[in-house]
Amino acid sequence: MRAQLRLQNTWQVYARFSGISVAIVILLAVVQILFVYGADRFEPRLLAIPSVVGILFGFMLARMHLLRSQTDLLNTFVEATQASSDHEEAIRHLLRVIAEQLRMDGAALYELDQAEAGVRRLRHYPPHRASPLSESALRELSAFSQEKGRSGTCEELRSRGLDSLPACLETVGLSLPDNQRGLLVLYRHDARRKPPDALERGFLQLSADWLSMTLTHMQQQEIIASEREQNRREKERAQTTLESIGDAVITTDDHGRIEYANPVASRLLGEPAAHLTERPLEEVIRLEDETSGELMSTRLGSSGPMLPDASHHADMRLRTANDQTRPVQLSFTPILNRAGDSQASVLVMRDISELREVMRRLDYQARHDALTGLLNRPAFEACLEDQLRSARTHQTRHTLCYLDLDQFKIINDTRGHTAGDELLRQIAALLLHLVPERDIVARLGGDEFGILMVDRDIEEGRTLAAEIGRALASFRFYWDDSTFSLSASLGLVEVSEASESTRLILQQADAACYVVKDTGRNQVRVFRAEDEDLRDRVGELHWVSSIPDAIEQGRFELWGQPVRTLADDTDAYLEVLLRLRDSDGRLVRPDTFIPAAERYDLMGQVDRWVVSRTLAYMKQLQDAGCRALPVMGINISGSSLNNDAFLAFLQESVSKSGLPGDRLCFEITETAAVRHLQRTARLMTEMRRTGCRFALDDFGSGLSSFSYLKHLPVDYLKIDGDFVRDINTDPVDLAMVRAIHEVGQILGLTTIAEHVEDDAIRARLAEVGVTHGQGYGLARPEPLVGPDAIRQVN
């Protein structure tokens, strides 16, 4: 404390005691000289020594008095400040002791707010007495104290224009927390009482310093308590978060020993959390590379392969204490000190067993027909491509059989789709029974099947195809007490090193099959280049000529259907749809001519026409002064993806249009994207440099391998409508939609649900978390409106 009870400014005490002592000693000396020694007269010079003795004795008595007063005041101060461990109670007690010790009516502690020029009474004694000083008087007292370095007397304060002051006033300035000034004021209304002496004023200053220190300490204690409470809440919040998240979290010290493991980690490792702590991490967790099986190091800085840091995730295999393995996705983050050295680490693991199972089911779903369990068309085409490559490399020969049921439509129409589905399942089982295990059987669509006879030339294939035809002719289908017979038309084509492409092989087999249908059915026909009937069949295909004519004659039209945000019905983009008018002016459904165009490689022409007309339409809107150009979604077919010149055409068209690239979104079906994966990835990469976006269409129905998705730089993932349509009635569809959405979220993609036909589907999608949708329940396809209509909307 800066204030101490010093024996200074006490000359009155010394003078009083010295005077009394000198008087007593001189009196005794005079009595002794006159009466004891019987002197006749008194010499004044004889009083010098007694006077000196009296002065010294007086100084000694004054010193003793002051020391005793000082001791009493110090004892009073100590007793007052230590009377209670509660700081508030100690302050109130000290104010009372100060007032009583200095014979004052009251004591008050004020805070002078320098920023707001206000005064606030903090503590006072007696507790409920009103303040004896006005706010202006208090500020003047503080200014006088700072100016003079001492308390002002009432006369000095009245000379500064302050009235209505108490008879006696003592003030002491002190420092308060947050750089505020304080004022300790003692007042008395009775002027007859003795004013405080120097020791009492020193006691007052000592008390003021203690108050300043105590108030600062109290604020510091409040800050510490607040920070401790905040830290406690943050710790509880972090603890609750760690215990509630779905990932396993393990923290270690700088020696690699486990400090904490959340409940998920305990379940994942198969041991209680209490058994995991204080154990070395490498003793508890064994991580293996999924590909090589190599043991991965879990110690930061140890030798051997290292775990990834937090910026990358790695898929590994976890081997638990009971020797079980499961796939996990993990990140390993070192906790660094200021010097950059690792002091501890955090290991986060996510069990991806369920995700892997979902991906496996998605992959199976993508490669197999949901009804029969056979391979679907994309998977079959991939197998055919492999065998064609084998034929070119090893000069082997294979046979492709294209099989179409002859009487299926009759059964399907007369007995319903349920009977038709059951018939297809039985035919699939029969085909698998008839062909060797090495042969590949697939459902290509509807009532069409494909059989790839591996390592069989065309004659061996023809023999096996004849056996299959006879088996199908003798097959009987029983339904509702009815018996049905059926047959099949089979078209064959040899797969050899001379074959041009899988597309042409399928076209040739398809053509051979349909020639059989046209020439009596229930036969086997081998495609041969010199076969006139097959040449006629290929040449007579209606759409081969109709589609180019439609382009030439301007009978194609652009329609649009928006992709909308489910939350507020705002448009994300407008998908461009193609419509065709026949020679009579009637609209032809796209599913009538698009498959033919795809089958006979006409989609490249169609895609170029759509791109050109869409860009011209947007340029027309821009030139007409439309303030906000819509984002247009343009579909690109597999044929265009497989054409190297299409990318150059697309880049040139967008560049010449002068339109911003972010106003274009290209949709590619997942089947086409995977079939031409490298070309698709290249086209996406090049066009994204101009700002264009990409959507992967019909996801979930035809993807050959789910892992291809992460190699394609797409923005939107459109869930196939077959999963969405029955989402409220089919739990499998609901699970598939949820799984696809979750995978899309992991990859950072926006998921769009197709076939949103009603509000019930929309509500269920919102529950799943899907944010965008497209379908009749949101908006029906409409012809693209012209600039006048756009201006009116704007």
Side-chain angles (χ1 to χ4, degrees):
M1 296 182 182
R2 58 183 174 86
Q4 299 179 3
L5 298 181
R6 297 176 180 176
L7 301 181
Q8 58 185 8
N9 299 324
T10 56
W11 60 270
Q12 299 96 335
V13 177
Y14 284 98
R16 185 172 69 253
F17 276 88
S18 296
I20 295 174
S21 297
V22 169
I24 294 175
V25 171
I26 291 176
L27 179 63
L28 291 176
V30 171
V31 171
Q32 183 179 15
I33 293 172
L34 296 177
F35 297 101
V36 176
Y37 297 114
D40 296 331
R41 59 189 183 84
F42 180 77
E43 292 291 338
R45 59 185 179 83
L46 297 177
L47 299 180
I49 294 176
S51 298
V52 172
V53 172
I55 292 174
L56 294 176
F57 186 68
F59 266 81
M60 181 183 68
L61 290 177
R63 182 72 172 176
M64 292 174 61
H65 174 76
L66 291 173
L67 289 175
R68 180 177 178 181
S69 300
Q70 182 185 34
T71 302
D72 291 342
L73 288 174
L74 287 174
N75 289 335
T76 302
F77 173 78
V78 171
E79 291 175 359
T81 55
Q82 296 183 354
S84 174
S85 59
D86 182 18
H87 288 150
E88 283 290 343
E89 181 64 28
I91 290 175
R92 288 194 295 269
H93 183 65
L94 180 61
L95 291 178
R96 180 180 63 80
V97 170
I98 293 173
E100 293 176 352
Q101 191 69 32
L102 273 64
R103 301 169 298 281
M104 295 293 181
D105 294 336
L109 180 61
Y110 296 92
E111 179 187 43
L112 307 175
D113 192 333
Q114 299 175 359
E116 300 182 1
V119 178
R120 183 167 63 95
R121 186 165 64 168
L122 301 178
R123 312 286 191 281
H124 52 279
Y125 172 81
H128 305 295
R129 182 171 296 178
S131 176
L133 299 173
S134 64
E135 182 173 327
S136 59
L138 288 170
R139 302 199 71 81
E140 190 64 31
L141 284 173
S142 177
F144 186 90
S145 177
Q146 293 185 33
E147 178 183 336
K148 301 295 184 180
R150 61 179 177 82
S151 303
T153 64
C154 291
E155 290 75 12
E156 290 174 325
L157 296 174
R158 289 190 180 94
S159 66
R160 296 170 71 100
L162 294 178
D163 298 327
S164 302
L165 295 176
C168 183
L169 194 66
E170 291 290 336
T171 62
V172 179
L174 66 156
S175 299
L176 295 179
D178 298 328
N179 296 321
Q180 296 294 331
R181 293 289 303 167
L183 196 65
L184 178 60
V185 178
L186 283 83
Y187 57 90
R188 185 175 66 220
H189 298 288
D190 187 359
R192 294 173 297 174
R193 297 182 189 176
K194 177 184 175 183
D197 57 23
L199 286 176
E200 291 172 334
R201 288 194 176 94
F203 171 74
L204 178 61
Q205 184 64 57
L206 183 65
S207 300
D209 291 343
W210 183 88
L211 287 172
S212 176
M213 181 188 68
T214 302
L215 290 172
T216 302
H217 180 69
M218 288 174 63
Q219 188 200 41
Q220 293 173 348
Q221 289 295 104
E222 291 177 359
I223 294 174
I224 293 173
S226 175
E227 291 179 350
R228 285 178 177 174
E229 177 64 19
Q230 182 178 357
N231 292 337
R232 184 189 65 80
R233 292 179 180 177
E234 291 179 354
K235 183 178 180 180
E236 289 181 352
R237 189 181 302 114
Q239 192 83 2
T240 302
T241 301
L242 289 175
E243 293 180 357
S244 61
I245 62 176
D247 295 341
V249 180
I250 298 175
T251 60
T252 66
D253 59 17
D254 55 345
H255 298 294
R257 294 185 175 274
I258 297 176
E259 289 184 334
Y260 170 80
N262 69 346
V264 178
S266 176
R267 291 194 298 270
L268 184 62
L269 299 174
E271 296 187 53
H275 294 175
L276 296 175
T277 55
E278 302 299 329
R279 292 172 60 187
L281 185 62
E282 291 182 329
E283 176 185 316
V284 177
I285 297 176
R286 288 180 294 169
L287 296 170
E288 303 171 354
D289 185 88
E290 286 191 300
T291 303
S292 64
E294 183 179 5
L295 185 66
M296 305 298 290
S297 173
T298 54
R299 281 292 301 275
L300 187 65
S302 64
S303 60
M306 295 300 298
L307 293 179
D309 57 29
S311 60
H312 298 88
H313 293 281
D315 293 344
M316 295 188 181
R317 185 167 58 239
L318 171 68
R319 188 175 296 275
T320 60
N322 55 5
D323 208 33
Q324 292 183 348
T325 61
R326 62 181 66 195
V328 294
Q329 186 182 73
L330 57 90
S331 65
F332 189 80
T333 307
I335 301 176
L336 305 178
N337 58 15
R338 293 183 178 179
D341 300 325
S342 175
Q343 297 296 306
S345 59
V346 179
L347 180 67
V348 180
M349 295 186 296
R350 174 178 297 174
D351 185 357
I352 57 175
S353 301
E354 293 184 3
L355 179 61
R356 288 285 178 85
E357 179 61 23
V358 169
M359 293 176 67
R360 187 195 65 78
R361 291 199 301 266
L362 282 173
D363 186 67
Y364 180 87
Q365 175 80 19
R367 292 177 52 85
H368 291 77
D369 175 55
L371 179 62
T372 63
L374 300 176
L375 291 180
N376 56 21
R377 189 183 190 98
F380 184 75
E381 290 179 358
C383 294
L384 179 59
E385 181 69 30
D386 292 338
Q387 295 304 321
L388 176 59
R389 192 179 303 111
S390 173
R392 291 171 177 172
T393 304
H394 305 290
Q395 290 76 46
T396 56
R397 292 178 179 272
H398 317 287
T399 299
L400 173 64
C401 174
Y402 202 101
L403 184 152
D404 188 286
L405 299 179
D406 293 333
Q407 287 82 27
F408 175 76
K409 190 174 187 304
I410 297 175
I411 299 174
N412 206 45
D413 291 345
T414 58
R415 290 296 183 266
H417 293 290
T418 304
D421 291 347
E422 178 59 27
L423 173 60
L424 291 174
R425 282 190 287 265
Q426 293 186 20
I427 294 298
L430 178 61
L431 292 176
L432 289 174
H433 176 72
L434 292 173
V435 303
E437 186 175 351
R438 64 179 179 179
D439 293 348
I440 302 170
V441 182
R443 182 188 177 199
L444 303 182
D447 58 348
E448 299 173 345
F449 295 85
I451 304 173
L452 184 56
M453 304 174 185
V454 181
D455 293 332
R456 291 178 185 268
D457 60 21
I458 194 64
E459 295 302 326
E460 293 175 329
R462 184 169 187 166
T463 301
L464 179 57
E467 293 177 4
I468 294 173
R470 288 192 294 270
L472 290 174
S474 62
F475 174 78
R476 297 295 180 267
F477 176 63
Y478 302 95
W479 187 265
D480 289 344
D481 299 329
S482 299
T483 303
F484 298 90
S485 61
L486 70 160
S487 62
S489 300
L490 298 93
L492 303 182
V493 64
E494 188 174 57
V495 181
S496 65
E497 59 180 335
S499 302
E500 294 185 17
S501 64
T502 57
R503 178 185 59 80
L504 184 57
I505 292 172
L506 286 169
Q507 284 184 0
Q508 292 169 347
D510 190 9
C513 178
Y514 276 90
V515 167
V516 172
K517 281 188 170 293
D518 291 344
T519 57
R521 307 190 181 204
N522 193 23
Q523 302 174 50
V524 177
R525 186 71 173 256
V526 178
F527 179 87
R528 301 187 188 279
E530 63 275 12
D531 192 320
E532 185 175 350
D533 290 338
L534 292 175
R535 289 202 307 269
D536 294 341
R537 170 64 186 174
V538 173
E540 292 173 356
L541 293 176
H542 170 70
W543 291 110
V544 173
S545 59
S546 297
I547 290 177
D549 290 343
I551 294 176
E552 185 69 21
Q553 299 167 11
R555 289 190 280 114
F556 279 116
E557 296 179 2
L558 295 183
W559 287 44
Q561 185 178 25
V563 172
R564 289 188 169 172
T565 304
L566 298 180
D568 54 9
D569 280 339
T570 57
D571 291 351
Y573 65 90
L574 184 69
E575 181 182 2
V576 177
L577 304 177
L578 190 62
R579 295 292 186 267
L580 172 65
R581 293 194 179 273
D582 60 17
S583 56
D584 297 328
R586 293 172 298 185
L587 280 176
V588 179
R589 290 175 54 86
D591 56 2
T592 302
F593 61 90
I594 292 295
E598 291 176 341
R599 176 180 301 174
Y600 295 104
D601 204 20
L602 298 173
M603 281 305 300
Q605 302 177 41
V606 176
D607 286 347
R608 289 171 181 256
W609 185 90
V610 172
V611 170
S612 300
R613 291 300 183 273
T614 302
L615 294 178
Y617 168 77
M618 297 181 68
K619 185 65 176 175
Q620 185 181 9
L621 296 181
Q622 187 181 59
D623 294 340
C626 294
R627 294 194 301 271
L629 288 177
V631 179
M632 307 298 286
I634 303 175
N635 288 279
I636 300 178
S637 67
S639 299
S640 297
L641 292 174
N642 198 34
N643 189 335
D644 292 335
F646 182 78
L647 174 57
F649 161 77
L650 201 59
Q651 290 174 320
E652 182 181 2
S653 299
V654 175
S655 176
K656 286 184 176 180
S657 69
L659 297 169
D662 61 357
R663 298 291 92 187
L664 297 173
C665 177
F666 296 100
E667 292 195 10
I668 302 174
T669 64
E670 66 164 332
T671 304
V674 172
R675 189 183 306 164
H676 314 285
L677 184 62
Q678 293 183 349
R679 287 188 171 92
T680 301
R682 178 169 175 265
L683 183 141
M684 289 182 175
T685 302
E686 293 296 330
M687 295 307 298
R688 283 176 68 90
R689 292 175 181 172
T690 65
C692 298
R693 310 174 197 175
F694 284 88
L696 196 59
D697 200 8
D698 296 335
F699 182 80
S701 63
L703 184 60
S704 296
S705 177
F706 193 79
S707 61
Y708 291 153
L709 179 60
K710 59 186 178 183
H711 299 297
L712 296 174
V714 299
D715 304 280
Y716 302 100
L717 193 63
K718 299 186 74 173
I719 303 174
D720 188 81
D722 289 340
F723 295 128
V724 178
R725 184 184 294 110
D726 299 325
I727 193 174
N728 284 313
T729 58
D730 191 334
V732 175
D733 286 348
L734 176 61
M736 295 300 292
V737 170
R738 192 186 305 275
I740 293 173
H741 173 66
E742 290 177 355
V743 172
Q745 292 293 99
I746 293 175
L747 296 176
L749 307 180
T750 299
T751 49
I752 301 171
E754 298 177 323
H755 289 194
V756 182
E757 307 298 342
D758 51 45
D759 291 338
I761 295 177
R762 178 175 182 171
R764 180 55 60 93
L765 289 171
E767 293 177 7
V768 172
V770 177
T771 56
H772 293 73
Q774 184 182 33
Y776 283 14
L778 300 175
R780 290 179 172 270
E782 295 180 357
L784 295 185
V785 296
D788 293 337
I790 292 290
R791 277 198 300 269
Q792 184 176 0
V793 172
N794 286 338

